[in-house]
Amino acid sequence: MKGQIIKALSGFYYIEADGRIWQTRARGNFRNRKITPLVGDQTIFESSNATDGYLLEILPRKNELVRPPVSNVDIGVIVISLVEPAFSYNLLDRFLVTLEAKDIQPVIYLSKLDLLPDQALAKEVGQVYEKIGYPVIATEDVAVARQQLFRLFAEGLTVFMGQSGAGKSTLLNKLVPELALATGEISESLGRGKHTTRHVELLPVAGGLVADTPGFSSIDFLDIDAVELPRLFPEFVAAAPKCKFRECSHLHEPDCEVQRQVATGEIAESRYADYQQFIEEIEKRRPVYRKKK
């Protein structure tokens, strides 16, 4: 049978097929072939009953994320907190670069607006990213958020992602109260949220599938190289044809259009600073040497 993995937990893979959920285990040859089944995978499996099946094959993926571990994603909703934990342009740009690298449509959701003394920060963030072309949702009105997000959900598989404590599960609970997802408090000692979502699971919402995923506080660019990075900043891509050199790195070259637009304010300084930091991280990354078989 063919079906899609909607949950992975304790060595079991729960597959939705023909309107039913089938509990399966992976065959041993997956480990030998170094294949890890992911939530979102389209699969071929066999089962004589609902609780005793075997996962036989993973069909080709259009993309996959490492954190969170999900495949075949269409939209990534980045839930980024404006306060508790404090807003970070750097972290938001890390999420955006990660999604761009996987050809996933990013959507930015600004959470915890009600905890701000005023809306200046929300307006500033919205202006920076809407100018680039990213959708930014900034509202505490549940009806408005539901209208804007449900329209996206119907387009396929949507992943909610963000740092711990950003309010991903809280937002989903507001949108779909019957989900009753667990939520947690912010750790005062660490300044970030406690992990309340322990595993990835696809939830049917508004004609599509939505993944609530465990939060985290850092993202490393393990499979992005320095040459690829400029192509993951849409405003750099738009400016690059006017650069003097075709393969301009936008760092030291003369007559660089990206640097010119940063100087004039057409490209946000925060974005360019993060780009410089990301390039440095990637170039300092230790190469991974694989053992010969």
Side-chain angles (χ1 to χ4, degrees):
M1 293 186 286
K2 287 186 178 181
Q4 184 176 31
I5 298 176
I6 62 166
K7 181 169 69 172
L9 188 63
S10 301
F12 290 100
Y13 299 95
Y14 297 85
I15 299 175
E16 193 280 328
D18 300 325
R20 296 179 61 188
I21 306 298
W22 307 79
Q23 179 178 283
T24 68
R25 287 185 180 274
R27 290 288 194 192
N29 62 356
F30 280 96
R31 185 177 301 170
N32 298 335
R33 292 154 59 194
K34 297 183 179 179
I35 297 174
T36 301
L38 297 176
V39 170
D41 278 341
Q42 297 289 344
T43 68
I44 294 176
F45 70 103
E46 64 180 9
S47 183
S48 57
N49 59 66
T51 60
D52 192 23
Y54 284 97
L55 182 56
L56 303 177
E57 184 179 345
I58 302 296
L59 299 179
R61 299 164 176 161
K62 68 178 181 180
N63 57 45
E64 63 181 89
L65 293 171
V66 176
R67 299 184 69 180
V70 189
S71 68
N72 300 316
V73 179
D74 298 295
I75 296 171
V77 177
I78 305 165
V79 181
I80 191 88
S81 171
L82 294 173
V83 60
E84 295 184 14
F87 175 76
S88 167
Y89 277 108
N90 189 280
L91 184 58
L92 177 52
D93 285 339
R94 287 176 186 273
F95 279 113
L96 290 170
V97 165
T98 299
L99 293 178
E100 291 283 0
K102 301 297 183 179
D103 197 26
I104 297 169
Q105 178 189 339
V107 175
I108 300 168
Y109 186 96
L110 304 181
S111 68
K112 304 190 180 181
L113 279 77
D114 57 324
L115 299 181
L116 289 174
D118 58 60
Q119 299 304 303
L121 177 59
K123 290 179 180 178
E124 175 188 295
V125 174
Q127 289 172 353
V128 169
Y129 291 97
E130 286 175 342
K131 182 178 180 180
I132 298 169
Y134 291 123
V136 179
I137 300 175
T139 179
E140 286 297 319
D141 188 320
V142 176
V144 173
R146 184 181 290 118
Q147 181 183 27
Q148 294 182 22
L149 288 170
F150 277 19
R151 191 185 312 125
L152 299 171
F153 294 166
E155 297 181 15
L157 198 165
T158 300
V159 168
F160 271 57
M161 55 200 308
Q163 79 264 54
S164 302
K168 299 180 299 299
S169 298
T170 298
L171 174 59
L172 275 171
N173 280 339
K174 289 179 179 178
L175 297 173
V176 192
E178 56 269 29
L179 294 178
L181 301 173
T183 59
E185 302 298 328
I186 301 296
S187 167
E188 291 184 6
S189 60
L190 297 176
R192 59 178 184 258
K194 301 173 184 177
H195 299 270
T196 51
T197 302
R198 302 295 180 179
H199 63 277
V200 179
E201 181 174 358
L202 300 186
L203 310 166
V205 181
L209 293 170
V210 175
D212 180 33
T213 64
F216 43 91
S217 55
S218 65
I219 301 176
D220 299 316
F221 303 121
L222 300 177
D223 56 356
I224 297 174
D225 60 39
V227 174
E228 181 186 9
L229 187 64
R231 301 166 191 160
L232 306 180
F233 284 71
E235 68 271 48
F236 292 13
V237 174
K242 294 183 179 179
C243 291
K244 181 177 181 179
F245 299 101
R246 177 177 292 182
E247 295 300 322
C248 184
S249 70
H250 315 308
L251 294 173
H252 313 296
E253 297 87 345
D255 298 324
C256 170
E257 179 66 12
V258 169
Q259 293 180 64
R260 187 195 71 78
Q261 290 191 19
V262 172
T264 61
E266 296 168 78
I267 290 177
E269 287 186 13
S270 62
R271 291 276 288 172
Y272 187 66
D274 287 341
Y275 169 72
Q276 291 174 302
Q277 180 183 332
F278 299 166
I279 280 280
E280 186 177 353
E281 285 182 20
I282 290 170
E283 290 180 341
K284 287 183 177 178
R285 185 176 61 204
R286 292 181 180 179
V288 177
Y289 298 103
R290 301 187 183 277
K291 293 181 179 180
K292 294 183 180 180
K293 293 183 179 180

